[in-house]
Amino acid sequence: MREADAAGDGVRRVAIVTGASRGLGHAVAAGLAGAGWDLVLDARGADELVAAAAALPGRVEAIPGDITDADHREDLVAAADALGGATLLVNNAGALGPSPLPGLAEYPLDGLREVFEANVVALLGLTQVALPGLRRRGGAILNITSDAAVAHYEGWGGYGASKAAVDLLSGVLSVEEPAIHVWWADPGDLRTRMHQDAFPGEDISDRPAPDTIVPAVLHVVSTRPRSGRIRLPEVAL
């Protein structure tokens, strides 16, 4: 019996993971696949996403596209429904914004709109599409946030403001949707392409690799703590 059916209630474990072609999203997808989850994966780069999905075990559907596209969001949930219906939504996809990171006095407003569209509006849009099924199945949402949402770092005003909005939306959602679990999870500084883009030309090799945080993610989704903000590096395994 696959671990996905181990509960014995006939309900499969199906997860949608956005931004899953590389970095933290791919690491989380690999961890879930190894734990027996069926997956629907999203990313903008089709070739990179298909290659990443092909390397994972089990039933994995790669749906390339932009999370800001409403039709693409519908496609992701439809693909999960074809696998039995999503019981977990991992909202990981997002945008850093201009690089190098500008101060707020010079921050291009069009760039700020793009960051909020990707990190906040699209996240809520996908959540809205997935919610009816998540409610029926008693599912969960894991929104990836950042310490920039709660701390004041020079240059991180645009990205941090978008993640602060994610924190607030997540908290309100946890109150409004008692039938599901909602976690907003801070993974800490990781050695990802996005983090490198935030520090062009700098050596970030001292940051942990994304897969180091995966055990904490798997612990959260398996033990299902109460809804709330979680700092993943501090999760006791």
Short mmCIF file of all heavy atoms in Angstrom, two decimals, residues 3 13 27-37 39 88 142 183 211 213-225 232 235 237:
data_model
loop_
_atom_site.label_atom_id
_atom_site.label_comp_id
_atom_site.label_asym_id
_atom_site.label_seq_id
_atom_site.Cartn_x
_atom_site.Cartn_y
_atom_site.Cartn_z
N GLU A 3 1.92 5.00 0.85
CA GLU A 3 1.69 5.79 2.06
C GLU A 3 0.51 6.73 1.87
O GLU A 3 -0.18 7.08 2.82
CB GLU A 3 2.95 6.59 2.40
CG GLU A 3 2.91 7.19 3.79
CD GLU A 3 4.23 7.82 4.14
OE1 GLU A 3 5.23 7.51 3.49
OE2 GLU A 3 4.25 8.61 5.10
N ARG A 13 -3.63 11.36 -0.82
CA ARG A 13 -2.97 12.61 -0.47
C ARG A 13 -2.45 13.23 -1.75
O ARG A 13 -1.55 12.69 -2.40
CB ARG A 13 -1.86 12.35 0.53
CG ARG A 13 -2.36 11.82 1.87
CD ARG A 13 -1.29 11.84 2.92
NE ARG A 13 -0.14 11.03 2.52
CZ ARG A 13 1.02 10.99 3.17
NH1 ARG A 13 1.18 11.74 4.26
NH2 ARG A 13 2.01 10.23 2.77
N ALA A 27 12.34 21.26 -3.83
CA ALA A 27 12.73 20.46 -2.67
C ALA A 27 11.51 19.94 -1.92
O ALA A 27 11.46 18.77 -1.52
CB ALA A 27 13.63 21.28 -1.75
N VAL A 28 10.50 20.80 -1.73
CA VAL A 28 9.28 20.38 -1.05
C VAL A 28 8.56 19.32 -1.88
O VAL A 28 8.06 18.32 -1.33
CB VAL A 28 8.37 21.59 -0.78
CG1 VAL A 28 6.99 21.14 -0.32
CG2 VAL A 28 9.00 22.50 0.26
N ALA A 29 8.49 19.53 -3.19
CA ALA A 29 7.83 18.54 -4.05
C ALA A 29 8.53 17.19 -3.96
O ALA A 29 7.87 16.14 -3.87
CB ALA A 29 7.82 19.04 -5.50
N ALA A 30 9.85 17.19 -3.97
CA ALA A 30 10.59 15.93 -3.87
C ALA A 30 10.34 15.25 -2.53
O ALA A 30 10.18 14.03 -2.46
CB ALA A 30 12.09 16.20 -4.06
N GLY A 31 10.29 16.04 -1.46
CA GLY A 31 10.01 15.46 -0.15
C GLY A 31 8.62 14.86 -0.08
O GLY A 31 8.44 13.75 0.45
N LEU A 32 7.63 15.55 -0.61
CA LEU A 32 6.27 15.03 -0.61
C LEU A 32 6.15 13.78 -1.47
O LEU A 32 5.49 12.80 -1.09
CB LEU A 32 5.30 16.11 -1.10
CG LEU A 32 5.08 17.30 -0.17
CD1 LEU A 32 4.28 18.39 -0.88
CD2 LEU A 32 4.37 16.88 1.12
N ALA A 33 6.78 13.80 -2.64
CA ALA A 33 6.73 12.62 -3.52
C ALA A 33 7.35 11.42 -2.83
O ALA A 33 6.83 10.30 -2.90
CB ALA A 33 7.45 12.92 -4.83
N GLY A 34 8.48 11.64 -2.15
CA GLY A 34 9.12 10.55 -1.43
C GLY A 34 8.28 10.01 -0.29
O GLY A 34 8.42 8.85 0.10
N ALA A 35 7.38 10.85 0.24
CA ALA A 35 6.49 10.43 1.33
C ALA A 35 5.18 9.84 0.81
O ALA A 35 4.30 9.52 1.60
CB ALA A 35 6.20 11.61 2.24
N GLY A 36 5.07 9.70 -0.51
CA GLY A 36 3.91 9.04 -1.08
C GLY A 36 2.80 9.93 -1.59
O GLY A 36 1.72 9.45 -1.93
N TRP A 37 3.04 11.23 -1.63
CA TRP A 37 2.01 12.15 -2.12
C TRP A 37 1.96 12.13 -3.64
O TRP A 37 2.99 12.01 -4.31
CB TRP A 37 2.31 13.57 -1.67
CG TRP A 37 2.04 13.84 -0.22
CD1 TRP A 37 2.78 13.42 0.85
CD2 TRP A 37 0.97 14.62 0.32
NE1 TRP A 37 2.25 13.87 2.02
CE2 TRP A 37 1.13 14.63 1.73
CE3 TRP A 37 -0.09 15.32 -0.24
CZ2 TRP A 37 0.26 15.29 2.58
CZ3 TRP A 37 -0.96 15.99 0.60
CH2 TRP A 37 -0.79 15.97 1.99
N LEU A 39 1.21 14.55 -6.89
CA LEU A 39 1.54 15.96 -7.01
C LEU A 39 1.05 16.58 -8.30
O LEU A 39 1.06 15.94 -9.36
CB LEU A 39 3.06 16.16 -6.93
CG LEU A 39 3.79 15.67 -5.68
CD1 LEU A 39 5.28 15.87 -5.84
CD2 LEU A 39 3.28 16.40 -4.44
N LEU A 88 -3.73 19.31 -0.03
CA LEU A 88 -2.71 20.27 0.41
C LEU A 88 -2.40 21.20 -0.74
O LEU A 88 -2.19 20.77 -1.87
CB LEU A 88 -1.44 19.53 0.84
CG LEU A 88 -0.22 20.40 1.18
CD1 LEU A 88 -0.49 21.25 2.43
CD2 LEU A 88 1.02 19.54 1.39
N LEU A 142 -0.34 25.64 2.91
CA LEU A 142 0.97 26.07 3.41
C LEU A 142 1.44 27.23 2.54
O LEU A 142 1.79 27.04 1.37
CB LEU A 142 1.97 24.91 3.34
CG LEU A 142 3.39 25.22 3.80
CD1 LEU A 142 3.43 25.46 5.30
CD2 LEU A 142 4.34 24.08 3.43
N TRP A 183 -1.22 27.34 7.37
CA TRP A 183 0.08 27.67 7.98
C TRP A 183 0.79 28.66 7.08
O TRP A 183 0.81 28.49 5.86
CB TRP A 183 0.94 26.42 8.14
CG TRP A 183 0.26 25.30 8.86
CD1 TRP A 183 -0.18 25.28 10.15
CD2 TRP A 183 -0.09 24.01 8.31
NE1 TRP A 183 -0.74 24.07 10.46
CE2 TRP A 183 -0.71 23.27 9.35
CE3 TRP A 183 0.08 23.40 7.07
CZ2 TRP A 183 -1.17 21.97 9.17
CZ3 TRP A 183 -0.39 22.11 6.88
CH2 TRP A 183 -1.01 21.41 7.92
N ASP A 211 16.77 21.76 0.56
CA ASP A 211 16.31 20.46 1.04
C ASP A 211 16.52 20.28 2.55
O ASP A 211 15.93 19.38 3.15
CB ASP A 211 16.95 19.32 0.27
CG ASP A 211 18.47 19.32 0.31
OD1 ASP A 211 19.06 20.18 1.00
OD2 ASP A 211 19.08 18.47 -0.35
N ILE A 213 15.34 22.09 4.79
CA ILE A 213 14.13 22.50 5.49
C ILE A 213 12.97 21.54 5.24
O ILE A 213 11.92 21.64 5.89
CB ILE A 213 13.76 23.94 5.07
CG1 ILE A 213 13.12 24.69 6.25
CG2 ILE A 213 12.88 23.98 3.85
CD1 ILE A 213 14.08 24.97 7.37
N VAL A 214 13.16 20.61 4.31
CA VAL A 214 12.06 19.71 3.93
C VAL A 214 11.58 18.84 5.10
O VAL A 214 10.36 18.64 5.25
CB VAL A 214 12.47 18.86 2.72
CG1 VAL A 214 11.45 17.75 2.44
CG2 VAL A 214 12.62 19.75 1.49
N PRO A 215 12.45 18.28 5.93
CA PRO A 215 11.93 17.49 7.07
C PRO A 215 10.96 18.28 7.93
O PRO A 215 9.97 17.72 8.43
CB PRO A 215 13.19 17.12 7.84
CG PRO A 215 14.27 17.08 6.79
CD PRO A 215 13.93 18.20 5.87
N ALA A 216 11.20 19.57 8.12
CA ALA A 216 10.28 20.39 8.90
C ALA A 216 8.94 20.53 8.19
O ALA A 216 7.87 20.48 8.83
CB ALA A 216 10.89 21.77 9.15
N VAL A 217 8.96 20.70 6.87
CA VAL A 217 7.72 20.80 6.10
C VAL A 217 6.93 19.50 6.23
O VAL A 217 5.72 19.51 6.49
CB VAL A 217 8.01 21.11 4.62
CG1 VAL A 217 6.73 21.01 3.79
CG2 VAL A 217 8.64 22.49 4.48
N LEU A 218 7.59 18.37 6.05
CA LEU A 218 6.91 17.08 6.14
C LEU A 218 6.35 16.85 7.54
O LEU A 218 5.26 16.28 7.70
CB LEU A 218 7.87 15.95 5.76
CG LEU A 218 8.37 15.95 4.32
CD1 LEU A 218 9.33 14.79 4.10
CD2 LEU A 218 7.22 15.89 3.33
N HIS A 219 7.08 17.32 8.55
CA HIS A 219 6.59 17.18 9.93
C HIS A 219 5.31 17.99 10.13
O HIS A 219 4.34 17.51 10.74
CB HIS A 219 7.67 17.64 10.90
CG HIS A 219 7.30 17.50 12.34
ND1 HIS A 219 7.30 16.28 12.99
CD2 HIS A 219 6.90 18.41 13.27
CE1 HIS A 219 6.93 16.45 14.25
NE2 HIS A 219 6.67 17.73 14.44
N VAL A 220 5.29 19.19 9.60
CA VAL A 220 4.11 20.05 9.75
C VAL A 220 2.90 19.43 9.05
O VAL A 220 1.82 19.33 9.64
CB VAL A 220 4.39 21.45 9.20
CG1 VAL A 220 3.10 22.27 9.10
CG2 VAL A 220 5.40 22.18 10.08
N VAL A 221 3.07 18.99 7.80
CA VAL A 221 1.91 18.49 7.06
C VAL A 221 1.44 17.14 7.59
O VAL A 221 0.27 16.77 7.40
CB VAL A 221 2.18 18.43 5.55
CG1 VAL A 221 2.54 19.80 4.99
CG2 VAL A 221 3.27 17.43 5.20
N SER A 222 2.31 16.40 8.25
CA SER A 222 1.90 15.10 8.78
C SER A 222 1.30 15.22 10.18
O SER A 222 0.35 14.52 10.53
CB SER A 222 3.07 14.12 8.80
OG SER A 222 4.11 14.56 9.65
N THR A 223 1.83 16.11 11.01
CA THR A 223 1.32 16.26 12.38
C THR A 223 0.17 17.27 12.47
O THR A 223 -0.56 17.27 13.45
CB THR A 223 2.44 16.69 13.34
OG1 THR A 223 2.97 17.96 12.91
CG2 THR A 223 3.55 15.66 13.37
N ARG A 224 0.04 18.14 11.45
CA ARG A 224 -1.07 19.08 11.35
C ARG A 224 -1.26 19.89 12.63
O ARG A 224 -2.31 19.79 13.29
CB ARG A 224 -2.36 18.35 10.96
CG ARG A 224 -2.28 17.74 9.57
CD ARG A 224 -3.50 16.85 9.27
NE ARG A 224 -4.73 17.63 9.24
CZ ARG A 224 -5.22 18.24 8.16
NH1 ARG A 224 -4.56 18.17 7.01
NH2 ARG A 224 -6.38 18.89 8.21
N PRO A 225 -0.29 20.71 12.99
CA PRO A 225 -0.49 21.59 14.15
C PRO A 225 -1.58 22.61 13.85
O PRO A 225 -2.00 22.78 12.70
CB PRO A 225 0.87 22.27 14.30
CG PRO A 225 1.46 22.25 12.93
CD PRO A 225 1.01 20.95 12.33
N LEU A 232 10.14 27.56 10.08
CA LEU A 232 10.50 26.18 9.78
C LEU A 232 11.83 25.75 10.39
O LEU A 232 11.94 24.60 10.86
CB LEU A 232 10.49 25.94 8.27
CG LEU A 232 9.09 25.96 7.63
CD1 LEU A 232 9.20 25.91 6.11
CD2 LEU A 232 8.24 24.80 8.14
N VAL A 235 11.27 24.22 13.86
CA VAL A 235 10.34 23.12 14.09
C VAL A 235 11.08 21.97 14.76
O VAL A 235 12.13 21.51 14.28
CB VAL A 235 9.71 22.65 12.76
CG1 VAL A 235 8.93 21.34 12.96
CG2 VAL A 235 8.80 23.72 12.21
N LEU A 237 11.66 18.30 15.43
CA LEU A 237 11.35 17.06 14.72
C LEU A 237 11.37 15.89 15.68
O LEU A 237 12.05 15.89 16.68
CB LEU A 237 12.36 16.83 13.59
CG LEU A 237 12.45 17.97 12.56
CD1 LEU A 237 13.50 17.66 11.51
CD2 LEU A 237 11.10 18.22 11.90
#
